[in-house]
C-alpha cells in the first residue's frame, strides 16, 4: 500500500514537470464570434510546409468539383429562319394570288369589251355564255394574233438585215479610213485640226486631192493637150514657141506633182510654206513668189541641179517654178 502511494506521487510530480517544460499550446478552433480577449490573444503560427501538407491532405480527401459554366440561353436561329421564310413565302403567295386576280379582272374586262363590240353585228351567230368567248370569236382573235405575229417577224427580219448591212458598212468604213491614213499624211494636209473628228480630216484630204487634180488639169494638162491636138497632124511643123511652151508645161506639171507627193510619201518631209501654197490652189491662183526662197547659186543644192539642167535644154522660165521650195525663175 505504501509503495502504491509513493508511485502515484512520483507520477504526479513527473507529469507536473513535463507540463512545466512545454509552453502553453494554443489550438485553432472555429467560432462564429470572438470576445475581446480572444481577439487579442489569437495568434497561432503555422509553418508554410505544414500549411501545404494540410492543403494536399485536404485536397486529396475532397472530390474535384466541376465548375459549371452558366448556361447561356441561345436562341434557335433555325426557328427564326423558318419564321422569316414562312413570312416571305406567305407574302409571295399573296402577291401571286393578287396578280392572278388582277389578270383575271383584265381578261374579264377585255371579254366584256369584245362582247359589247360583237353583240350588235353578231347577235344571231355568236353568243357569250358565263363570261367566256365563243369558239368563232376565239378563232378570229387567234387569226388576228397570228397575222400580227407574222408581221412582226417580217419586220424583225428586215431589221436584222439592216443591222447586218450596217455592220458591214462600218467594217468597210474602218478599213477605208485605215487605208487612207496609211496612204496619206493626213496631219500635214491643209485645214487639218486635231480637235475635229477623223471623218472631217479624211474629208479634208479628199477635198485637197480634188483641188490639186483640178488645178493641175486646168493650168498644165489641158494646155498640153491643146498644143498636142493642134499639131498632131503635122508634128514636124511644131513651132519654136509651142515647143518651148510644151516643155514649160511638162516640166511645171512634173514639179507640181513632185510637190504634191510631199503630202503622201513619208520619206519626203514637209517644211516652209508648202502647205500654204497647196491650199492656195483652191482659189485657182498661181504660185505666190513671196512663199518661195531665192535660188542659192553659191552652194550646191537639188534646186541648182534642176536649174542648170533646164538652162541647157533651153528652158529658162517655168509656169510652176518650185523645187524644194525654191524659185527656179530667179537668177
Amino acid at each position: 500500500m505504501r509503495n502504491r502511494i509513493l508511485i502515484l506521487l512520483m507520477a504526479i510530480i513527473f507529469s507536473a514537470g513535463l507540463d512545466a517544460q512545454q509552453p502553453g499550446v494554443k489550438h485553432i478552433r472555429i467560432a462564429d464570434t470572438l470576445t475581446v480577449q480572444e481577439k487579442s490573444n489569437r495568434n497561432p503560427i503555422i509553418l508554410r510546409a505544414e500549411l501545404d501538407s494540410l492543403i494536399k491532405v485536404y485536397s486529396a480527401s475532397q472530390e474535384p468539383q466541376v465548375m459549371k459554366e452558366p448556361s447561356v440561353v441561345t436562341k434557335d436561329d433555325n426557328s427564326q429562319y423558318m419564321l422569316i421564310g414562312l413570312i416571305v413565302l406567305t407574302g409571295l403567295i399573296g402577291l401571286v394570288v393578287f396578280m392572278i386576280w388582277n389578270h383575271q379582272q383584265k381578261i374579264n374586262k377585255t371579254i366584256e369589251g369584245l362582247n359589247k363590240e360583237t353583240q350588235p353585228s353578231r347577235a344571231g351567230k355568236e353568243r357569250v355564255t358565263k363570261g367566256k368567248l365563243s369558239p368563232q370569236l376565239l378563232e378570229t382573235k387567234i387569226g388576228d394574233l397570228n397575222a400580227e405575229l407574222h408581221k412582226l417577224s417580217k419586220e424583225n427580219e428586215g431589221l436584222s438585215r439592216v443591222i447586218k448591212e450596217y455592220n458591214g458598212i462600218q467594217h468597210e468604213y474602218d478599213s477605208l479610213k485605215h487605208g487612207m491614213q496609211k496612204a496619206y499624211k493626213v496631219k500635214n494636209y491643209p485645214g487639218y485640226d486635231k480637235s475635229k473628228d477623223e471623218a472631217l480630216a479624211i474629208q479634208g484630204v479628199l477635198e485637197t486631192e480634188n483641188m490639186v487634180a483640178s488645178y493641175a488639169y486646168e493650168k498644165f494638162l489641158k494646155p498640153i493637150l491643146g498644143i498636142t491636138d493642134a499639131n498632131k497632124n503635122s508634128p514636124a511643123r511644131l513651132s519654136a514657141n509651142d515647143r518651148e511652151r510644151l516643155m514649160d508645161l511638162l516640166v511645171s506639171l512634173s514639179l507640181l506633182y513632185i510637190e504634191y507627193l510631199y503630202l503622201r510619201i513619208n520619206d519626203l518631209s514637209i517644211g516652209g510654206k508648202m502647205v500654204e501654197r497647196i491650199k492656195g490652189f483652191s482659189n485657182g491662183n498661181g504660185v505666190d513668189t513671196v512663199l518661195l526662197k531665192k535660188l542659192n547659186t553659191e552652194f550646191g543644192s537639188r534646186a541648182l541641179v534642176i536649174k542648170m539642167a533646164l538652162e541647157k535644154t533651153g528652158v529658162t522660165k517655168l509656169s510652176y517654178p518650185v523645187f524644194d521650195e525654191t524659185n527656179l525663175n530667179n537668177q
Side-chain angles (χ1 to χ4, degrees):
M1 185 65 181
R2 182 180 177 180
N3 292 332
R4 293 180 179 178
I5 294 171
L6 290 175
I7 293 170
L8 179 62
L9 290 174
M10 291 177 65
I12 293 170
I13 294 169
F14 181 75
S15 61
L18 290 176
D19 292 336
Q21 291 179 1
Q22 294 181 355
V25 179
K26 294 182 179 181
H27 299 281
I28 298 174
R29 64 187 182 86
I30 299 172
D32 295 332
T33 60
L34 296 175
T35 63
V36 176
Q37 184 177 3
E38 288 175 344
K39 289 182 180 180
S40 61
N41 296 329
R42 63 185 187 95
N43 54 351
I45 299 173
I46 300 176
L47 293 176
R48 187 180 298 276
E50 294 175 347
L51 179 63
D52 293 340
S53 62
L54 290 174
I55 291 174
K56 290 181 180 180
V57 172
Y58 180 77
S59 298
S61 62
Q62 296 293 328
E63 294 182 358
Q65 295 181 357
V66 179
M67 295 298 293
K68 294 184 179 180
E69 297 181 355
S71 59
V72 180
V73 179
T74 58
K75 296 182 180 180
D76 192 357
D77 294 338
N78 293 329
S79 61
Q80 290 183 353
Y81 293 151
M82 292 179 63
L83 180 60
I84 294 172
L86 183 61
I87 293 173
V88 173
L89 182 61
T90 304
L92 291 176
I93 294 173
L95 180 62
V96 171
V97 172
F98 175 75
M99 292 176 65
I100 294 173
W101 178 80
N102 191 19
H103 185 66
Q104 186 67 33
Q105 293 296 323
K106 291 181 179 179
I107 293 175
N108 293 335
K109 290 181 180 179
T110 303
I111 293 173
E112 292 177 0
L114 292 174
N115 291 337
K116 292 179 181 179
E117 293 178 358
T118 56
Q119 278 179 357
S121 58
R122 301 181 180 181
K125 297 180 180 179
E126 300 175 356
R127 295 180 181 177
V128 180
T129 58
K130 296 182 181 180
K132 295 183 180 180
L133 292 175
S134 61
Q136 293 82 359
L137 184 58
L138 185 60
E139 290 178 359
T140 303
K141 189 66 176 178
I142 292 174
D144 295 338
L145 292 175
N146 289 332
E148 186 68 20
L149 180 61
H150 181 72
K151 181 181 178 181
L152 293 176
S153 300
K154 292 294 184 182
E155 292 179 356
N156 189 23
E157 292 177 359
L159 291 175
S160 299
R161 287 194 298 269
V162 171
I163 293 173
K164 186 176 180 180
E165 292 176 358
Y166 171 77
N167 292 332
I169 293 172
Q170 183 67 31
H171 178 70
E172 293 176 357
Y173 171 73
D174 293 338
S175 300
L176 178 62
K177 182 174 66 175
H178 177 72
M180 292 191 67
Q181 290 177 349
K182 185 177 180 181
Y184 303 98
K185 294 189 286 186
V186 179
K187 295 181 179 180
N188 294 320
Y189 271 72
Y192 173 77
D193 187 358
K194 63 180 180 179
S195 63
K196 294 182 180 179
D197 188 69
E198 293 182 354
L200 297 177
I202 294 175
Q203 185 178 358
V205 170
L206 297 177
E207 291 176 356
T208 301
E209 294 290 321
N210 183 48
M211 176 181 64
V212 173
S214 299
Y215 181 81
Y217 174 73
E218 293 291 337
K219 297 296 181 180
F220 302 106
L221 183 56
K222 191 174 182 180
I224 290 173
L225 295 177
I227 294 174
T228 55
D229 289 342
N231 294 276
K232 64 182 179 180
N233 293 327
S234 55
R237 296 180 182 180
L238 182 66
S239 63
N241 292 333
D242 288 343
R243 184 169 55 252
E244 292 178 0
R245 177 63 175 161
L246 185 60
M247 289 299 297
D248 169 33
L249 294 172
L250 290 173
V251 174
S252 297
L253 180 59
S254 66
L255 293 176
L256 171 62
Y257 188 73
I258 289 172
E259 185 166 89
Y260 160 74
L261 289 178
Y262 276 78
L263 296 176
R264 302 185 62 178
I265 305 301
N266 292 326
D267 294 338
L268 301 175
S269 59
I270 295 177
K273 303 293 183 179
M274 185 178 295
V275 176
E276 288 81 352
R277 290 198 307 276
I278 294 175
K279 186 177 181 181
F281 296 161
S282 61
N283 300 324
N285 299 328
V287 178
D288 187 0
T289 57
V290 178
L291 302 177
L292 299 177
K293 297 183 297 184
K294 185 178 180 179
L295 177 64
N296 188 354
T297 59
E298 296 180 1
F299 301 97
S301 64
R302 294 175 179 174
L304 183 58
V305 175
I306 299 295
K307 177 65 176 177
M308 293 179 68
L310 291 175
E311 288 180 350
K312 289 183 179 181
T313 58
V315 179
T316 58
K317 296 291 182 179
L318 293 173
S319 300
Y320 194 79
V322 176
F323 188 84
D324 287 346
E325 306 181 28
T326 303
N327 190 349
L328 298 178
N329 287 340
N330 291 339
Q331 299 295 333

